[in-house]
Amino acid sequence: MNIGIVEDDLLQRTALRNWLEDAGHQCRCFNSGDEFVRQMQRGEFQVLLFDWGLPGTSGIELLSWLRDQLQDNTPVIFITAHDTEE
C-alpha cells in the first residue's frame, strides 16, 4: 500500500515510516502541510496519515483542501499527541 504521512515531528514521522515500511508498505513523508500541498498529486496514495496539529496549515485544513481542490476521496487517518478529545 502506498501511504502518505504528514507529520512535523521528525521522531514521530520516522517511527511511523519505519513501522509501516517494516510491514511492507511504501511511504512518502512530508514535514508540513504546505510541503504536502506543493507536492501532492491526485490519486497518489491509498491512505493518508495527517497530524492534527501541524504548524501553518492544520490537518483539518489539509483534509478540506484535499476534498475541495483535488476532489480526492483518499481515506485519511488523523494522528495526534493530544490525550483528550477537546
Side-chain angles (χ1 to χ4, degrees):
M1 183 179 296
N2 196 16
I3 301 171
I5 301 170
V6 185
E7 170 61 68
D8 63 313
D9 183 280
L10 177 61
L11 294 176
Q12 292 285 356
R13 190 171 60 244
T14 302
L16 287 167
R17 178 181 214 148
N18 289 341
W19 292 332
L20 292 166
E21 287 181 347
D22 286 349
H25 302 288
Q26 297 175 348
C27 297
R28 184 165 173 209
C29 295
F30 305 90
N31 61 18
S32 71
D34 293 337
E35 180 185 357
F36 174 78
V37 167
R38 281 192 309 273
Q39 297 182 24
M40 174 62 182
Q41 296 178 8
R42 189 173 188 271
E44 186 174 355
F45 302 106
Q46 282 80 46
V47 69
L48 292 161
L49 302 178
F50 287 170
D51 184 1
W52 187 270
L54 294 165
T57 303
S58 72
I60 197 71
E61 290 170 326
L62 281 182
L63 178 60
S64 293
W65 175 83
L66 186 70
R67 300 293 191 248
D68 296 341
Q69 300 300 314
L70 292 187
Q71 302 296 307
D72 191 313
N73 289 321
T74 301
V76 174
I77 298 171
F78 280 95
I79 51 180
T80 183
H82 298 285
D83 60 357
T84 63
E85 191 171 325
E86 295 80 32

